[in-house]
Amino acid sequence: MHAPPTAPPRRRIRIPGPAVIAALAAALLASALAAPTAHGQGTRQDTHRNTQEIVGGGDLGPNVLVFDPSTPDIQGKVDEIFERQESAQFGDGRYALFFKPGTYDNINAQLGFYTSIAGLGLSPDDTTFNGDVTVDAGWFDGNATQNFWRSAENLALNPVNGTDRWAVSQAAPFRRMHVRGGLNLAPDGYGWASGGYIADSRIDGQVAPYSQQQWYTRDSSVGGWNNAVWNMTFSGVEGAPVQSFPNPPYTTLDTTPVSREKPFLYLDGDAYKVFVPAKRTNARGTSWGNGAPQGESIPLDRFYVVKPGATAETINAAVEQGLHLLFTPGIHHVDRPIDIDRADTVVLGLGLATIVPDNGVTAIRVGDVDGVKLAGLLVDAGPTNSDTLVEVGPAGASARHADNPTSLQDVFVRVGGAGAGRTTTGMVINSNDTIVDHTWIWRADHGEGVGWETNRADYGLQVNGDGVLATGLFVEHFNKYDVRWSGENGRTIFFQNEKAYDAPDQAAIQDGEIKGFAAYKVDDSVNNHEGWGMGSYCYFNVDPTIRQDHGFQAPVKPGVRFHDLLVVSLGGKGQYEHVINGTGSPTSGSDTIPSQVVSFP
């Protein structure tokens, strides 16, 4: 998150009363009973793993609420979830709200933490709200810089007042949405906001970011874009502003080199299926709205529906037997890695499903295979240090996957905040040609279990594979390098970073002769790399005298190129000497004005 020049107010936790809790429980039970279920009973076990039979399908659990237009008191049920989740930033509630195809009148679905809302049609236009899906910041005195971990997908909106409000910061994707009007990305009153991400969406009217510090929009269509603060980046967006960085700071690519939209749950008649969109190259505009969507439909009975309490042993056995994985909303503890070694496996989380390694293991490991899809998951570090939390490909992976890459979408990593957690590296990409599409890898700067050594995590993202593409890369607060890129032919479109707030002094972040570890470092051995629309910010509130030599570090070679870089000192709490290597003016004072570099070298 991004702090304003003054320290943010304390978060306030609102606990619903007994009557609200009872009503919520009743609503959840009724919805679970009413929701259609796929055939299959989940898992049939005996005492030996090798003879365990895993059955696909099953119900989606009590925290998946399914509505249709005839469901009574939809607004009341949605409000009950919001009342519980509005300020529960580090709570254990997880909810997915699904709406069957049809038209819903007079709806205002306010979304709190760990709440996902989605239509169940094959197209967003199959499910229409004459109303809004709203995120605001009343719980935090109009400050949206901590509006994390929520999502909206696959709906069409006719906003009541002509404009929908989506005032979010990190880990709050707005995907596959059709807004038949405008979209406001700032909180009521235009308080602080620090988002954000839109993909595969159509906004017929103007998008108004107002106070949003930065934003990335991919493969979409907009009726116009109202303003920019520090860094607005677009790739493959019809109607996007023209390239004009640094004034105004728009970074615009006509197309996205490679993209694959996130898999999603939908209803085919009464049967649940997961649609897996096809890979696109040089994409522009949405993947829907122009005939039948390109991709594959997978019936739910080919998924093992993972509920809290399922063991990693059972989950791995399901994958070995040929099933995909659908994680239901909740907290999933594992005592060994979840291993995905079969090509084209889909691992989809609902309602910010959260995976926690209990004993220092890696939470998720993907083999050096084609076409794995990881999506919609929050991986939360446990109290015992894990070497890595998410690992794509084993060390030394060498196979090429350009024709059918592995993709990670809305896969978020958190170290601390919900309690003490530790890892050496949050995410490691060893497989070639991997697509990392919207991730927030975050070492917590607030919450429980937070401190320079308490939630120690040296590195956020380490990329060793060749041909890796990151679209929408958010990595923050790690003790050393936030991103270190060692593979060849890497590309990043949009990068947002804050250095660790809590560095105790200059010596703690000294990188040899260099003051401060770069936010984004490309190894000296790399010959080809490119990045667009990238920013790093510092807010050293423990020791404001700290100096950071630069936000970006890279070898000076013809094949290593950067476009539209910036660094910012937030309120003068620490300063940057340069933007990249020794290039770019220093930040100074407390004016919170970026120092920018249009191209490097």
Side-chain angles (χ1 to χ4, degrees), residues 519-586:
Y520 189 106
K521 174 181 168 63
V522 179
D523 280 358
D524 290 344
S525 61
V526 172
N527 294 308
N528 293 281
H529 188 90
E530 196 160 10
W532 298 262
M534 307 174 74
S536 177
Y537 322 125
C538 71
Y539 185 71
F540 294 117
N541 60 345
V542 174
D543 182 359
T545 69
I546 289 175
R547 310 291 294 192
Q548 178 90 16
D549 263 348
H550 43 236
F552 301 88
Q553 183 179 344
V556 181
K557 298 178 180 179
V560 178
R561 302 182 299 276
F562 287 90
H563 315 272
D564 304 352
L565 304 179
L566 65 101
V567 295
V568 182
S569 169
L570 300 176
K573 303 291 187 182
Q575 302 291 342
Y576 291 90
E577 303 285 6
H578 305 284
V579 179
I580 179 167
N581 295 359
T583 299
S585 301

Side-chain angles (χ1 to χ4, degrees), residues 328-349:
T328 61
I331 313 295
H332 302 262
H333 290 266
V334 295
D335 62 357
R336 66 185 67 181
I338 296 171
D339 284 314
I340 312 298
D341 290 323
R342 193 183 76 251
D344 298 312
T345 301
V346 176
V347 182
L348 177 61

Side-chain angles (χ1 to χ4, degrees), residues 25 29 47 58 116 207 242 246 305 318 415 419 440 442 454 463 570 583:
L29 178 60
T47 57
S116 298
V207 179
V242 298
V305 176
V415 185
W440 186 34
W442 185 60
T454 305
V463 179
L570 300 176
T583 299

Side-chain angles (χ1 to χ4, degrees), residues 388 390 392-397 408 425-436 439 441 459-470 473 475 481-492 495 520-523 525-526 528-529:
T388 60
V390 177
V392 180
L408 289 75
T425 306
M427 182 183 293
V428 177
I429 307 295
N430 292 315
S431 284
N432 298 321
D433 309 304
T434 300
I435 301 170
V436 182
T439 186
I441 304 172
Y459 310 105
L461 172 66
Q462 172 69 49
V463 179
N464 298 318
D466 293 342
V468 174
L469 171 66
L473 180 59
V475 188
Y481 295 118
D482 297 281
V483 173
R484 184 168 182 175
W485 210 292
S486 305
E488 284 287 354
N489 298 307
R491 292 173 290 182
T492 294
F495 171 67
Y520 189 106
K521 174 181 168 63
V522 179
D523 280 358
S525 61
V526 172
N528 293 281
H529 188 90

Side-chain angles (χ1 to χ4, degrees), residues 220-456:
S220 294
S221 173
V222 299
W225 195 273
N226 196 44
N227 72 293
V229 179
W230 293 339
N231 177 17
M232 300 286 156
T233 301
F234 309 84
S235 68
V237 178
E238 297 169 343
V242 298
Q243 170 73 32
S244 58
F245 190 93
N247 187 25
Y250 294 133
T251 300
T252 303
L253 287 72
D254 286 342
T255 62
T256 304
V258 184
S259 57
R260 179 195 284 135
E261 300 306 329
K262 179 182 176 183
F264 61 92
L265 191 70
Y266 79 103
L267 276 172
D268 183 2
D270 291 330
Y272 282 118
K273 295 181 179 180
V274 171
F275 189 77
V276 183
K279 184 192 78 171
R280 298 202 290 169
T281 56
N282 298 317
R284 181 172 174 84
T286 65
S287 68
W288 52 272
N290 297 300
Q294 300 298 302
E296 177 188 12
S297 288
I298 305 175
L300 193 64
D301 62 9
R302 289 175 56 193
F303 283 79
Y304 174 50
V305 176
V306 186
K307 296 180 181 178
T311 65
E313 181 181 29
T314 298
I315 295 167
N316 288 339
V319 175
E320 290 171 2
Q321 293 177 30
L323 293 173
H324 305 277
L325 301 176
L326 187 71
F327 281 83
T328 61
I331 313 295
H332 302 262
H333 290 266
V334 295
D335 62 357
R336 66 185 67 181
I338 296 171
D339 284 314
I340 312 298
D341 290 323
R342 193 183 76 251
D344 298 312
T345 301
V346 176
V347 182
L348 177 61
L350 305 180
L352 280 296
T354 302
I355 300 174
V356 182
D358 285 333
N359 54 350
V361 300
T362 297
I364 302 173
R365 293 189 307 205
V366 178
D368 195 18
V369 296
D370 277 355
V372 172
K373 291 89 178 174
L374 300 182
L377 296 167
L378 171 60
V379 178
D380 211 349
T384 302
N385 187 76
S386 296
D387 286 343
T388 60
L389 293 174
V390 177
E391 188 173 305
V392 180
S398 59
R400 297 312 302 244
H401 307 288
D403 290 341
N404 185 14
T406 284
S407 56
L408 289 75
Q409 293 166 307
D410 304 342
V411 175
F412 309 127
V413 170
R414 181 171 68 187
V415 185
R422 295 172 64 91
T423 187
T424 303
T425 306
M427 182 183 293
V428 177
I429 307 295
N430 292 315
S431 284
N432 298 321
D433 309 304
T434 300
I435 301 170
V436 182
D437 178 47
H438 190 224
T439 186
W440 186 34
I441 304 172
W442 185 60
R443 176 181 168 264
D445 61 277
H446 63 277
E448 301 296 327
V450 171
W452 185 249
E453 296 295 342
T454 305
N455 63 327
R456 181 84 192 187

